[in-house]
């Protein structure tokens, strides 16, 4: 201590400064290596915190994955909105890499024009965009590969999908970690996979599904769902035997995912019966026993009419003349009918349904029931029998009485489901003979009977099958002698989204949309609206006064043959007054326009002052308080001494 005192105050200060710098550098190096993943997210929606689902997907990755982010620096500099978004994507990917136990390697490139990185970006299929006419091409995309060279690409990050950024990235990693093509088991009671009316071609929705998954038809009366089926798609189940219902029940309870399409009136079924000159069939379908046990309410005898989503159709009018009316059974559903927070429907613009039924959660059950597609509030239940034989759109519209609440047409079902067979397998499923019959040979593997789902069940139920038919969402046009299908609705996109979402892990399914990092200035917008409302009336009055003044001045401008104005003394005086009024009105208008922006600028200035000076001011106040406290303690010790 004596040696330190002997150094003198100036040397001690220099040594303390050097040590402070060394300590600062050491703390930074230490934090960069040990606290790299430590974050404090103070945003309202935890925008910068990975969800538990993503963490589970990352923890399950057991092979190396390389992420190559191509982000042009000139894009960030030329478009500030994209600059922030590039930073958000980069930070998010870095979090993925930090939490992956070394399984994810992140590489970031700035693909300059004519560089090797630009060639790589193009080779991976990234989309180049020109900032302006004649400007350079910029890139902002991601290419991800696994150890077997499977590849997933985001051609260009769109700011419109920011709320689904985490879902898109996690889904990409999940697909690379599980590269095997998924198998969808199709149990169809309509000819969706081989339609005789289309020369035994599948419906277009199946053809589109086959681009992403393997679609395998399974029988309508199976006793066991094959173990390699990753997802079961049931379409229009009619007259399903107990043995098959039991197989579906146990498949779902064991964690199998399913998309179920039921319908109170299948127009496709009715059309097929008419084409084949068969007697009219019961066009309704149901999984009544299973729905009752799983907690789903659905009536196969009523459909939902919607006044706002009704499609206009041509009908015979008075005297045989054609007339146009709204057909409340045919629904052209748009974005306000879709769940904006679910990935299956958030990007859907339009879906067409015909005579769709209603789904709801059964009272007393604890399943999670999430509506995906709903009608408007101007909707009502209608007996399906009214459209099964010669429907009359005009009469339906005339008798329409809204029930003043929306109905759910498609829903996501999650939770612990109970079996519809609490007493065990039915006789047919157990291989026993029905009374008076012979037992069918049972080759299905024996499995333990479950009375409740093992984990969380995941289903999507849609109360319409006509949405799958080509005519509901496709229009065929002749293009140089070739039939070209042009989509008129996003029915197939909805089906593919539902299948794709359910084929992910539970963690992936539970991922939901996140908030946006771009936050609107609600306070400023409110001030702007108030200011506009307050001053617009004054501005209109002044503009009207200006118009009247100009008209009065025009009347006084009476000219003689030489083109000069002929004015009396009183008129000259009036004209001078008008000119003075004109100058005054214009001055007042400038003040009004200035006042319109004054409040906003004042708030903007206040926010800048707070953002720039608040923290330094607080630090200074703390420093002054600490110095004052130190001096006070020193003075007290001097007095005591």
């Amino acid at each position: 201590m004596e040696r330190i005192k002997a150094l003198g105050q100036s040397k001690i200060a220099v040594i303390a400064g050097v040590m402070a710098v060394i300590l600062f550098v050491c703390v930074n190096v230490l934090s960069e290596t040990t606290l790299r993943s430590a974050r404090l997210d103070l945003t309202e929606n935890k925008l910068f915190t990975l969800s538990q689902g993503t963490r589970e997907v990352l923890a399950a990755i057991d092979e190396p994955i390389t992420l190559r982010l191509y982000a042009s620096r000139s894009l960030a500099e030329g478009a500030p909105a994209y600059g922030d978004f590039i930073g958000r994507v980069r930070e998010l990917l870095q979090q993925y890499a930090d939490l992956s136990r070394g399984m994810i390697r992140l590489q970031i490139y700035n693909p300059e024009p004519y560089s090797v990185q630009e060639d790589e970006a193009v080779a991976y299929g990234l989309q180049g965009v020109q900032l302006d006419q004649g400007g350079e091409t910029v890139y902002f995309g991601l290419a991800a590969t696994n150890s077997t060279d499977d590849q997933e690409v985001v051609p260009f990050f769109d700011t419109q999908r920011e709320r689904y950024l985490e879902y898109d990235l996690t889904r990409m990693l999940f697909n690379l970690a599980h590269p095997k093509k998924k198998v969808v088991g199709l149990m169809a009671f309509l000819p969706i996979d081989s339609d005789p009316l289309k020369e035994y071609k599948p419906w277009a929705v199946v053809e589109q599904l086959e681009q992403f998954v393997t679609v395998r038809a399974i029988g309508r009366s199976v006793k066991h769902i094959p173990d390699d089926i990753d997802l079961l798609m049931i379409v229009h189940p009619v007259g399903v035997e107990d043995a098959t219902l039991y197989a579906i029940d146990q498949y779902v309870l064991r964690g199998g995912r399913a998309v179920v399409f039921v319908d109170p009136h299948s127009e496709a079924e009715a059309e097929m019966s008419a084409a084949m000159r068969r007697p009219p069939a019961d066009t309704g379908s149901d999984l009544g026993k299973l729905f009752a046990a799983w907690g789903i309410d659905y009536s196969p005898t009523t459909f939902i009419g919607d006044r706002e989503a009704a499609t206009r159709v041509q009908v015979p009018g008075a005297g045989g003349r054609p007339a146009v009316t709204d057909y409340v059974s045919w629904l052209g559903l748009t974005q306000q009918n879709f769940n904006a927070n679910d990935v299956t429907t958030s990007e859907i613009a339009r879906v067409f349904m015909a005579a769709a039924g209603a789904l709801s959660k059964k009272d007393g059950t604890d399943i999670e029931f999430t509506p995906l597609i709903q009608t408007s509030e101007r909707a009502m239940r209608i007996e399906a029998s009214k459209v099964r034989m010669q429907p009359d759109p005009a009469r339906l519209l005339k008798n329409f009485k809204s029930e003043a609440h929306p109905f759910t047409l498609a829903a996501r079902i999650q939770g612990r489901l109970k079996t519809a067979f609490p007493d065990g397998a039915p006789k047919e499923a157990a291989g026993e003979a029905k009374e008076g019959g012979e037992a069918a040979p049972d080759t299905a593997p024996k499995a333990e009977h479950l009375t409740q789902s093992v984990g969380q069940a995941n289903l999507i139920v849609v109360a319409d099958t006509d949405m799958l038919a080509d005519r509901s969402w496709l229009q065929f046009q002749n293009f140089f002698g070739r039939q070209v299908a042009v989509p008129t609705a996003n029915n197939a996109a909805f089906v593919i989204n539902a299948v794709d979402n359910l084929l992910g892990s539970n963690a992936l399914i539970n991922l939901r949309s996140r908030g946006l990092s771009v936050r609107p200035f609600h306070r400023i917008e409110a001030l702007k609206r108030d200011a506009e409302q307050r001053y617009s009336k004054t501005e209109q009055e002044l503009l009207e006064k200006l118009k009247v003044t100009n008209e009065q001045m025009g009347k006084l401008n009476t000219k003689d043959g030489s083109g000069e104005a002929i004015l009396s003394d009183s008129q000259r005086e009036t004209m001078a007054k008008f000119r003075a009024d004109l100058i005054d009105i214009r001055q007042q208008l400038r003040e009004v326009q200035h006042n319109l922006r004054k409040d906003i600028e004042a708030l903007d200035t206040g926010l800048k002052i707070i953002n720039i000076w608040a923290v330094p001011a607080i630090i200074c106040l703390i420093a002054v308080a600490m110095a004052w406290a130190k001096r006070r303690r020193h003075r007290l010790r001097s007095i005591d001494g």
Side-chain angles (χ1 to χ4, degrees):
M1 183 63 71
E2 294 298 329
R3 290 181 179 178
I4 293 176
K5 288 182 178 178
L7 290 175
Q9 293 292 331
S10 58
K11 290 184 179 178
I12 291 175
V14 172
I15 293 173
V18 172
M19 292 183 68
V21 171
I22 294 173
L23 181 63
F24 177 77
V25 173
C26 289
V27 168
N28 273 279
V29 172
L30 189 64
S31 62
E32 180 66 20
T33 54
T34 61
L35 303 177
R36 194 171 181 176
S37 59
R39 295 171 188 274
L40 183 61
D41 187 354
L42 300 178
T43 55
E44 181 183 3
N45 297 318
K46 299 298 178 186
L47 292 174
F48 302 99
T49 301
L50 292 182
S51 65
Q52 185 59 32
T54 294
R55 292 173 184 272
E56 290 176 13
V57 171
L58 292 174
I61 294 176
D62 56 3
E63 68 166 317
I65 293 176
T66 303
L67 303 179
R68 298 175 180 84
L69 175 65
Y70 294 87
S72 298
R73 188 176 302 155
S74 49
L75 175 62
E77 295 169 350
Y82 267 100
D84 295 338
F85 193 38
I86 289 173
R88 170 100 199 278
V89 172
R90 190 167 51 219
E91 288 183 6
L92 195 59
L93 291 175
Q94 189 60 57
Q95 286 189 64
Y96 278 71
D98 293 342
L99 294 173
S100 68
R101 301 165 286 111
M103 289 297 168
I104 295 178
R105 188 173 56 161
L106 175 62
Q107 299 172 355
I108 301 175
Y109 301 104
N110 172 27
E112 295 180 342
Y114 309 109
S115 64
V116 175
Q117 287 77 23
E118 183 181 34
D119 293 341
E120 288 177 354
V122 173
Y124 279 121
L126 269 62
Q127 179 184 356
V129 174
Q130 282 195 330
L131 273 179
D132 49 38
Q133 289 186 345
E136 68 176 89
T137 301
V138 295
Y139 298 85
F140 181 28
L142 180 71
T145 55
N146 61 10
S147 58
T148 54
D149 289 335
D150 293 304
Q151 181 178 308
E152 292 274 337
V153 172
V154 178
F156 196 92
F157 283 105
D158 186 351
T159 54
Q160 300 295 321
R161 273 193 73 82
E162 182 183 357
R163 62 174 67 239
Y164 301 103
L165 178 61
E166 184 181 352
Y167 176 84
D168 290 341
L169 295 176
T170 304
R171 174 179 165 277
M172 169 186 283
L173 292 173
F174 179 83
N175 290 342
L176 288 172
H178 306 82
K180 184 181 175 185
K181 206 170 183 180
K182 303 290 185 181
V183 179
V184 173
L186 179 60
M187 182 184 290
F189 295 73
L190 289 172
I192 182 172
D193 58 334
S194 177
D195 190 347
L197 300 181
K198 293 182 63 180
E199 299 179 350
Y200 295 96
K201 290 182 179 178
W203 291 3
V205 69
V206 173
E207 290 181 321
Q208 294 216 356
L209 264 179
E210 286 176 333
Q211 296 178 14
F212 304 95
V213 297
T214 299
V215 179
R216 184 194 303 168
I218 60 177
R220 301 178 181 182
S221 55
V222 295
K223 294 182 180 179
H224 174 73
I225 306 299
D227 294 335
D228 61 343
I229 296 294
D230 297 298
L231 182 140
L232 184 60
M233 184 169 168
I234 304 171
V235 180
H236 198 51
V238 179
V240 186
E241 296 177 352
D242 273 0
T244 304
L245 289 176
Y246 180 74
I248 298 170
D249 177 85
Q250 295 295 297
Y251 171 80
V252 170
L253 264 55
R254 286 193 172 82
R257 290 75 186 275
V259 183
V260 182
F261 294 86
V262 291
D263 203 339
H265 170 56
S266 168
E267 295 189 355
E269 173 85 58
E271 184 180 325
M272 194 166 55
S273 297
M276 296 184 175
R277 298 183 178 178
R278 295 188 309 204
D282 181 5
T283 55
S285 56
D286 190 9
L287 281 178
K289 184 179 284 189
L290 299 186
F291 281 176
W294 295 347
I296 304 169
D297 260 345
Y298 158 76
S299 169
T301 58
T302 57
F303 74 92
I304 304 301
D306 188 338
R307 188 68 182 82
E308 292 187 9
T311 301
R312 293 184 75 77
V313 296
Q314 195 175 70
V315 296
R321 294 180 179 177
V324 176
T325 188
D326 287 340
Y327 189 19
V328 295
S329 171
W330 287 0
L331 308 182
L333 301 156
T334 52
Q335 285 186 326
Q336 63 264 25
N337 302 108
F338 308 140
N339 185 339
N341 294 319
D342 196 288
V343 292
T344 58
T345 48
S346 61
E347 300 290 316
I348 300 296
R350 178 180 168 83
V351 164
F352 181 86
M353 288 184 167
L359 301 164
S360 61
K361 179 181 175 180
K362 194 175 180 181
D363 292 337
T365 55
D366 56 358
I367 61 170
E368 187 178 342
F369 183 92
T370 306
L372 298 178
I373 302 178
Q374 288 187 303
T375 64
S376 71
E377 292 192 347
R378 297 178 65 192
M380 70 173 290
R381 284 166 288 196
I382 303 173
E383 290 295 326
S385 58
K386 295 184 178 178
V387 292
R388 283 178 178 166
M389 296 291 291
Q390 298 181 341
D392 186 345
R395 184 181 293 276
L396 288 174
L397 185 62
K398 183 180 178 183
N399 297 328
F400 186 87
K401 292 180 181 177
S402 170
E403 296 185 39
H405 67 85
F407 292 89
T408 299
L409 308 179
R412 181 190 295 276
I413 314 295
Q414 292 177 298
R416 301 293 295 272
L417 305 183
K418 294 180 180 177
T419 181
F421 298 88
D423 299 327
K427 289 182 178 179
E428 304 94 306
E432 299 178 18
K434 287 183 179 179
E435 188 175 349
E438 294 182 359
D442 184 11
T443 57
K446 300 296 182 184
E448 181 188 357
H449 171 74
L450 297 178
T451 58
Q452 189 170 345
S453 53
V454 176
Q456 178 173 263
N458 285 292
L459 310 169
I460 288 180
V461 181
V462 184
D464 183 47
T465 59
D466 293 305
M467 70 166 300
L468 302 172
D470 293 357
R471 65 170 186 165
S472 295
W473 62 282
L474 285 178
Q475 192 174 56
F476 292 92
Q477 298 178 353
N478 191 307
F479 185 74
F480 292 103
R482 192 165 61 95
Q483 286 289 310
V484 177
V486 179
T488 57
N490 304 118
N491 293 24
F494 168 70
V495 176
I496 291 170
N497 286 352
V499 170
D500 182 65
N501 178 250
L502 288 179
L503 283 174
S505 66
N506 279 334
L508 192 60
I509 292 170
N510 288 326
L511 278 181
R512 294 288 186 269
S513 63
R514 310 294 292 270
L516 297 172
S517 61
V518 179
R519 304 292 300 276
F521 293 96
H522 297 293
R523 175 66 176 156
I524 290 179
E525 292 296 327
L527 273 175
K528 189 176 179 181
R529 284 195 299 271
D530 290 345
E532 286 176 350
Q533 189 174 6
R534 202 176 334 137
Y535 297 116
S536 62
K537 184 179 178 183
T538 307
E539 185 179 23
Q540 289 302 319
E541 291 174 354
L542 291 173
L543 286 172
E544 185 63 27
K545 192 174 177 181
L546 180 65
K547 180 182 175 184
V548 172
T549 304
N550 279 324
E551 289 175 355
Q552 290 173 338
M553 287 179 64
K555 291 177 182 176
L556 289 175
N557 277 333
T558 306
K559 299 179 180 180
D560 62 4
S562 63
E564 295 183 356
I566 304 173
L567 300 175
S568 63
D569 292 341
S570 62
Q571 286 175 326
R572 286 196 183 91
E573 187 177 342
T574 303
M575 178 66 82
K577 183 176 178 303
F578 282 158
R579 284 174 178 162
D581 288 347
L582 189 64
I583 294 172
D584 182 58
I585 291 170
R586 287 177 174 169
Q587 176 66 27
Q588 290 181 51
L589 276 173
R590 282 195 292 273
E591 289 181 3
V592 166
Q593 292 170 350
H594 172 70
N595 289 332
L596 189 64
R597 298 189 300 269
K598 190 171 63 177
D599 290 342
I600 298 172
E601 290 173 352
L603 180 63
D604 182 62
T605 304
L607 288 174
K608 286 179 179 175
I609 291 173
I610 292 173
N611 286 334
I612 296 172
W613 295 108
V615 173
I618 291 172
I619 293 174
C620 288
L621 287 174
I622 293 173
V624 170
M626 292 177 65
W628 177 81
K630 185 177 179 182
R631 288 176 64 86
R632 188 169 182 274
R633 285 197 302 270
H634 181 71
R635 190 167 57 250
L636 291 175
R637 280 200 297 268
S638 300
I639 294 172
D640 293 339

